[in-house]
Amino acid sequence: MNLKLSLIALLLATAGVAAEAQEKVLNLYSARHYQTDEKLYDNFTKQTGIKINRIEGKEEELMERIRNEGANSPADVFITVDAARLATADALGLFAPVKSKVLESRIPAHLRTDTWFSFSTRARVIIYNRSALKAEDVASYESLADPKLKGKLCSRSGAHPYNLSLVSSLIAHDGEAKTEEWARGVVANFARAPKGGDTDQIKSVAAGECGVAVSNIYYLARMIRSDKLDERRMMERVGIVWPNQAGRGTHINISGGGLVKTSKNPEAAVKFLEYLASDEAQRYFADGNNEWPVVAGLATNNPALEAMGKFKADNLPIGALAKNIVAAQKLLDRAGYR
């Protein structure tokens, strides 16, 4: 009898281990905090049977967590926003190289590296108060340092990754010395000390506290599509400029991710990264969170983005921004842009 009970117990234990082994799980560390992403994860699970365990947090916290966990980290994929943050993760050695014909064929070469990939793009545009300025007054990023804008410019912190990436692109195009001169001119034009996020800059421009500022496009699209009447009316007072259309084009930043070096489920992780480049996922990025797909020629349905019109984008390789992040922070500090 005891022998029978032992055999039954052994069979049950074996069955449990087998069931656990059959359950496909992907551990996703995500610094994207958008409710629209829920559909992405649900549909991936429906299509593949791979369950997503998601851990959300701020970029720095998640990167530090992966580092501290070391070889024991359960993380399979890390995704976040902004090339500067992805470059930091890469510099910390968190990503493993990925070879995927799907990713290479669907994501343009300038929007990927060997270790991380862009899955959506966002433009950093100039906004201005229609009563105070004209579009031609602020036609380029370089124009923000023009003395005629003295006392008119509002900004978020120069240390924020969005601004670091923009300044990194300026270094790539204009050189470090000229960019530092530009930064000093921008500081001289401040209407107030840098503070708040992009939405705060938009509202300050609409209220006339500032004449000009810089914002990621999806913050503007949110306000254009807002269910709050006062926010929609604010946007009637704000003009939008696609900078540098006469030259290199408007600075583009991205949302992206990569395979964590210590992943225990690399096949599932790559499958998830490939899913993010699928037509379905790409449309969620555009229609759900007011971003553009990275896949060329994909039709989307976002009236707010469409209303802003087409523009010429800067095709600077996204990986090139990583080379200038440290230099960008140092020159901004020297210029007093904090």
Side-chain angles (χ1 to χ4, degrees):
M1 192 70 172
N2 288 338
L3 180 59
K4 285 185 177 180
L5 289 174
S6 297
L7 287 172
I8 291 171
L10 180 60
L11 288 170
L12 289 173
T14 303
V17 171
E20 185 176 349
Q22 288 174 1
E23 184 182 19
K24 299 177 182 178
V25 175
L26 175 76
N27 293 307
L28 173 65
Y29 282 33
S30 174
R32 279 180 62 96
H33 308 297
Y34 311 127
Q35 289 184 347
T36 51
D37 286 359
E38 295 290 340
K39 288 185 177 180
L40 285 173
Y41 308 140
D42 290 343
N43 285 347
F44 174 73
T45 298
K46 289 176 183 176
Q47 290 181 21
T48 64
I50 300 172
K51 177 184 176 183
I52 294 181
N53 287 333
R54 187 167 81 259
I55 295 175
E56 291 188 343
K58 293 183 177 180
E59 296 79 8
E60 293 80 6
E61 294 171 355
L62 291 175
M63 287 189 280
E64 187 63 24
R65 177 170 178 166
I66 294 172
R67 289 185 71 193
N68 290 337
E69 290 169 342
N72 296 319
S73 177
D76 295 309
V77 171
F78 173 58
I79 60 174
T80 187
V81 296
D82 196 273
R85 288 162 168 156
L86 286 160
T88 298
D90 201 15
L92 292 172
L94 303 187
F95 291 136
V98 172
K99 289 291 184 182
S100 165
K101 291 183 179 179
V102 172
L103 295 174
E104 290 175 7
S105 65
R106 293 186 64 80
I107 300 176
H110 71 283
L111 292 175
R112 55 181 162 84
T113 70
D114 290 338
T115 52
W116 52 271
F117 303 85
S118 306
F119 295 109
S120 64
T121 64
R122 59 274 297 272
R124 196 143 184 81
V125 299
I126 294 173
I127 55 174
Y128 64 96
N129 184 291
R130 294 179 184 274
S131 298
L133 293 168
K134 297 178 180 179
E136 52 265 35
D137 295 326
V138 287
S140 68
Y141 299 112
E142 287 81 0
S143 69
L144 298 178
D146 192 315
K148 69 183 178 183
L149 297 180
K150 188 175 181 63
K152 297 184 183 299
L153 178 65
C154 282
S155 174
R156 68 189 305 161
S157 168
H160 193 277
Y162 294 167
N163 282 340
L164 287 177
S165 291
L166 172 59
V167 174
S168 293
S169 74
L170 290 174
I171 292 174
H173 290 296
D174 300 333
E176 192 170 338
K178 191 172 180 180
T179 302
E180 183 169 342
E181 181 182 351
W182 169 86
R184 294 183 185 279
V186 168
V187 170
N189 287 340
F190 282 158
R192 53 163 170 73
K195 65 176 182 178
D198 283 9
T199 301
D200 298 304
Q201 314 313 317
I202 297 168
K203 291 181 177 180
S204 293
V205 168
E209 179 185 356
C210 320
V212 62
V214 178
S215 173
N216 276 357
I217 199 71
Y218 57 87
Y219 293 105
L220 295 160
R222 286 178 192 171
M223 292 185 68
I224 291 172
R225 300 175 70 180
S226 176
D227 56 5
K228 297 178 181 177
L229 180 60
D230 62 325
E231 291 189 342
R232 296 200 304 274
R233 284 181 173 170
M234 280 183 194
M235 291 308 301
E236 294 174 2
R237 301 192 291 274
V238 175
I240 301 172
V241 169
W242 300 106
N244 298 81
Q245 292 300 283
R248 63 183 178 269
T250 297
H251 169 64
I252 293 294
N253 212 317
I254 56 96
S255 179
L259 167 66
V260 176
K261 184 169 60 177
T262 53
S263 170
K264 310 303 186 295
N265 307 292
E267 289 185 9
V270 172
K271 188 173 290 188
F272 178 69
L273 294 175
E274 291 176 342
Y275 168 75
L276 294 181
S278 69
D279 286 359
E280 178 184 72
Q282 289 288 291
R283 287 194 177 96
Y284 276 126
F285 284 127
D287 300 338
N289 198 51
N290 304 305
E291 300 171 272
W292 286 286
V294 294
V295 175
L298 186 68
T300 60
N301 181 26
N302 188 314
L305 290 181
E306 291 169 6
M308 295 179 197
K310 296 181 179 181
F311 68 101
K312 177 182 178 182
D314 183 359
N315 286 330
L316 179 72
I318 207 73
L321 295 178
K323 300 176 183 178
N324 298 323
I325 293 296
V326 174
Q329 184 64 80
K330 288 181 178 179
L331 75 81
L332 288 172
D333 287 343
R334 291 193 298 268
Y337 194 153
R338 298 185 175 88

